[in-house]
Amino acid sequence: MTPTNIALHQKSRVLELTWPDGVVQNLPCEYLRVYSPSAEVRGHGPGQEVLQLGKENVNIKEIEPIGHYAVKLGFDDNHDSGLYDWGLLRELGDNYEEYWADYLARCEKAKYVRKEPGQVI
């Protein structure tokens, strides 16, 4: 399923996806960055994932269509190697609460204290 609309809200750092079934998902740029499908984040196999820290203020600077099946998101921290296919984006939206809670738990386990977006360190 291909989104019918993709809108980047840079000020609030949110990517809004509208799907043909009427579902609208608002995915924070930080969330999309820490769940990037790139090998840098996911590794090359199970157990090789790399926890992404310090991405609270990351923003998307570029959205590049890849054929009719994906987009390449370019982030302002120079990360741009993940291809987000439509299935992955829908999955990330449908499972946002669960995945975000898991990310926060992994940050806590790593003793990382997240800054509120916009907070200067």
Side-chain angles (χ1 to χ4, degrees):
M1 183 168 24
T2 303
T4 56
N5 191 51
I6 299 173
L8 176 61
H9 304 285
Q10 284 194 309
K11 189 171 183 178
S12 59
R13 292 189 282 272
V14 170
L15 185 68
E16 179 182 303
L17 302 164
T18 305
W19 298 95
D21 60 2
V23 171
V24 177
Q25 297 171 326
N26 290 293
L27 305 178
C29 293
E30 177 187 7
Y31 174 68
L32 291 166
R33 175 63 179 85
V34 302
Y35 278 101
S36 170
S38 70
E40 173 189 326
V41 174
R42 302 247 173 138
H44 292 284
Q48 295 184 357
E49 299 85 3
V50 177
L51 181 60
Q52 302 294 301
L53 302 173
K55 304 302 178 187
E56 294 90 342
N57 291 306
V58 75
N59 210 336
I60 294 170
K61 64 180 182 179
E62 181 179 27
I63 301 172
E64 179 184 342
I66 305 297
H68 295 288
Y69 68 94
V71 288
K72 179 177 170 182
L73 300 179
F75 294 89
D76 61 7
D77 67 350
N78 296 318
H79 178 78
D80 67 356
S81 59
L83 295 184
Y84 294 77
D85 67 46
W86 305 136
L88 173 63
L89 284 170
R90 183 63 189 246
E91 174 191 342
L92 289 171
D94 288 346
N95 297 291
Y96 172 76
E97 289 182 23
E98 175 188 346
Y99 290 179
W100 187 245
D102 178 66
Y103 173 70
L104 294 177
R106 288 184 288 131
C107 286
E108 188 175 321
K109 185 177 180 182
K111 299 190 182 336
Y112 179 74
V113 178
R114 285 183 68 256
K115 316 305 182 273
E116 285 302 312
Q119 180 181 351
V120 177
I121 302 168

